[in-house]
Amino acid sequence: MTKMADNSSSVEIVEGCRLPVLRKNQEHEDEWPLAEILSVKEVSGRKLYYVHYIDFNKRLDEWVTTERLDMKKLQFPKKDAKTPTKNGLSGSRPSSPEGGREREREREREREREREVKRKVEPAPVAPQVPPVTPVPSLPSSAEATQAAVFPAVRETPTFKSREDHELTTQNGNARRLIPAPPGRKRKANCGGTDEMIKVLQYNKPQSASVFLPPPEDSQDSSDGIPSAPRMTGSLVSDRSHDDIVTRMKNIECIELGRHRLKPWYFSPYPQELTSLPILYLCEFCLKYLKSLKCLQRHLTKCNLRHPPGNEIYRKGTISFFEIDGRKNKNYSQNLCLLAKCFLDHKTLYYDTDPFLFYVMTEYDSKGFHIVGYFSKEKESTEDYNVACILTLPPYQRRGYGKLLIEFSYELSKVEGKTGTPEKPLSDLGLLSYRSYWSQTILEILMDLKPDNGERPQITINEISEITSVKKEDVISTLQYLNLINYYKGQYILTLSEDIVEGHERAMQKRHLRIDPKCLHFTPKDWSKRGKW
């Protein structure tokens, strides 16, 4: 290590350099991942380097000393590909201006050629080609499966020629929904409707043979629930084209919120004069930010709030939910967004909070209602979003509060009579929470299906969606993620293995926090009438 430090004295490390940096992994073992130098500063005659670990989440970025740098593998930035300071994606290295202009000219020439062809040629309809038949793995015979209950038949007319063509079988008494056949697979019948019946089978052994089916073509999500490309139509989706070195670096060292001290993960646009403080103090009830403990104490003598502003619409035990209107409580909403941005990287901060509602979850004790987490949603969403941003504060993570927030958002959707989906893209932790919630919710329905007249249980995707208020695309992607969908003899079949059933039962035993719909006092408003705002 000393040798590395000696070498660094003769070599100047600049922004954009890449080299291995020493850090501790989750097992507290030393590792040397490749990192990029984002900034350099000198404190008390000692140089510090702000590093981003390549292929690691930005929340792990940190200031390191020279002793943790492996100078032997130092990579200098290319002269024509420096790390962008503006208008570049984080971590990207744009090419030289000359190369960019040349590609732009080439694209313009290509567009001109396309326009010329369109003017000369009248487009004619082309018959779609039918791909060859793809073999499908076979499933165990019906003798190996136990029969499960039949779910009530669908209300809409299926597109299949006969009942036999569109029934799906599910394992463990769970119902399956019919999903469009993927391209490249030839079918005798048209299997595209979400109202097709699905049979549920339960096998004594885990089912290994399966066929993945893609969601509908207009779905924004890939089969594993991750968007194929970030969706920029959402209200709070961050436009990463405006990233620069400043916003890529954490600017707040520590936040004191009530009895907790939080280490921020990401940049948040608090006032510049507060970013140099060792600790930023927040009032835990109104979330106002203050520069010192003395200022906080003086503020608490004047702050009358002991709970978030707005209406308490849910209370059970010590858990409460408050509905805050972003227009009526603008200061609180903006302070909440500033705090949330410290832990959310994929969302941007809008100071115009008028179009949003904020649902804050709190825990009550003798001192008041303490914020645990929150989610926001648009008053009017054209894309069926029921969540814009969602966050459980770090001190309360891994305790079931994340799923409780998600469950509450869907309970609101049920009262509104709508299906909903979270705004994309989800953060890594958000995606894990939603996958887990969707999986448990859908499996809970499938396993509750009862046999009817000895028939296997049946259900459609639409029915699952109506029961749970989970959007159909999310139901499909979850079934694919769980590897439950199979195609056998012209039918889509849901197979629930013993491993899946046992894993689900173990997970539900640990899930103690649940939303009680009887404790929800919520009346949805018609926000299309601007007078309601």
Side-chain angles (χ1 to χ4, degrees), residues 85-144:
T85 58
K86 192 174 182 181
N87 296 334
L89 297 178
S90 62
S92 63
R93 294 174 175 267
S95 58
S96 64
E98 284 299 325
R101 284 193 291 269
E102 179 61 31
R103 282 193 296 274
E104 183 60 35
R105 286 194 291 269
E106 180 62 30
R107 284 194 293 268
E108 183 59 36
R109 287 194 292 268
E110 184 66 27
R111 286 193 290 268
E112 183 61 34
R113 285 194 293 269
E114 290 177 358
R115 287 193 291 268
E116 195 66 31
V117 170
K118 288 180 180 179
R119 285 193 292 268
K120 293 180 180 180
V121 180
E122 183 69 22
V126 180
Q129 294 183 354
V130 180
V133 178
T134 305
V136 180
S138 60
L139 299 178
S141 63
S142 57
E144 299 175 355

Side-chain angles (χ1 to χ4, degrees), residues 437-448:
Y437 172 79
W438 289 332
S439 300
Q440 291 179 9
T441 302
I442 293 172
L443 286 174
E444 204 169 19
I445 290 175
L446 298 181
M447 293 174 64
D448 285 344

Side-chain angles (χ1 to χ4, degrees), residues 118-254:
K118 288 180 180 179
R119 285 193 292 268
K120 293 180 180 180
V121 180
E122 183 69 22
V126 180
Q129 294 183 354
V130 180
V133 178
T134 305
V136 180
S138 60
L139 299 178
S141 63
S142 57
E144 299 175 355
T146 59
Q147 292 184 345
V150 178
F151 199 77
V154 291
R155 291 177 288 279
E156 298 181 23
T157 304
T159 57
F160 292 95
K161 296 179 181 179
S162 66
R163 179 183 180 87
E164 191 65 25
D165 288 328
H166 63 262
E167 288 184 346
L168 299 180
T169 313
T170 55
Q171 181 180 12
N172 258 351
N174 288 344
R176 280 194 78 159
R177 171 192 170 180
L178 201 78
I179 299 174
R185 188 180 298 274
K186 186 176 180 181
R187 299 282 182 248
K188 293 181 180 180
N190 182 13
C191 326
T194 54
D195 284 323
E196 307 294 352
M197 298 300 296
I198 301 175
K199 289 185 180 178
V200 182
L201 288 181
Q202 180 175 0
Y203 294 99
N204 295 326
K205 297 180 180 180
Q207 175 61 28
S208 58
S210 61
V211 178
F212 286 91
L213 304 176
E217 292 181 0
D218 60 350
S219 172
Q220 295 278 355
D221 298 340
S222 60
S223 60
D224 62 355
I226 303 175
S228 55
R231 223 149 103 174
M232 294 306 176
T233 56
S235 59
L236 290 177
V237 171
S238 177
D239 181 1
R240 308 312 294 272
S241 64
H242 297 292
D243 276 3
D244 55 27
I245 290 298
V246 174
T247 59
R248 289 177 63 190
M249 295 168 52
K250 304 171 196 174
N251 59 335
I252 303 295
E253 183 67 26
C254 181

Side-chain angles (χ1 to χ4, degrees), residues 170-354:
T170 55
Q171 181 180 12
N172 258 351
N174 288 344
R176 280 194 78 159
R177 171 192 170 180
L178 201 78
I179 299 174
R185 188 180 298 274
K186 186 176 180 181
R187 299 282 182 248
K188 293 181 180 180
N190 182 13
C191 326
T194 54
D195 284 323
E196 307 294 352
M197 298 300 296
I198 301 175
K199 289 185 180 178
V200 182
L201 288 181
Q202 180 175 0
Y203 294 99
N204 295 326
K205 297 180 180 180
Q207 175 61 28
S208 58
S210 61
V211 178
F212 286 91
L213 304 176
E217 292 181 0
D218 60 350
S219 172
Q220 295 278 355
D221 298 340
S222 60
S223 60
D224 62 355
I226 303 175
S228 55
R231 223 149 103 174
M232 294 306 176
T233 56
S235 59
L236 290 177
V237 171
S238 177
D239 181 1
R240 308 312 294 272
S241 64
H242 297 292
D243 276 3
D244 55 27
I245 290 298
V246 174
T247 59
R248 289 177 63 190
M249 295 168 52
K250 304 171 196 174
N251 59 335
I252 303 295
E253 183 67 26
C254 181
I255 291 177
E256 184 170 304
L257 180 67
R259 62 180 181 270
H260 300 292
R261 284 196 173 178
L262 316 177
K263 298 284 285 185
W265 295 349
Y266 308 109
F267 171 89
S268 183
Y270 279 102
Q272 180 66 32
E273 60 269 21
L274 301 179
T275 59
S276 58
L277 299 174
I279 299 176
L280 179 63
Y281 295 88
L282 266 61
C283 171
E284 64 175 326
F285 300 113
C286 72
L287 301 183
K288 181 178 180 179
Y289 45 85
L290 303 114
K291 63 181 180 179
S292 68
L293 181 59
K294 187 174 183 179
C295 291
L296 175 63
Q297 292 170 344
R298 187 163 57 243
H299 166 79
L300 290 176
T301 61
K302 301 182 241 180
C303 183
N304 297 322
L305 282 179
R306 288 298 175 265
H307 59 78
N311 300 322
E312 184 180 12
I313 61 174
Y314 179 91
R315 180 188 292 185
K316 184 175 183 181
T318 59
I319 301 296
S320 293
F321 279 86
F322 290 82
E323 181 184 56
I324 293 106
D325 189 324
R327 183 184 69 83
K328 295 179 181 178
N329 301 281
K330 192 179 293 286
N331 286 339
Y332 181 89
S333 301
Q334 290 178 350
N335 289 337
L336 179 59
C337 288
L338 282 168
L339 173 62
K341 186 62 184 71
C342 291
F343 307 99
L344 295 173
D345 185 38
H346 291 77
K347 305 294 181 180
T348 188
L349 179 71
Y350 280 1
Y351 286 100
D352 181 15
T353 58
D354 288 13

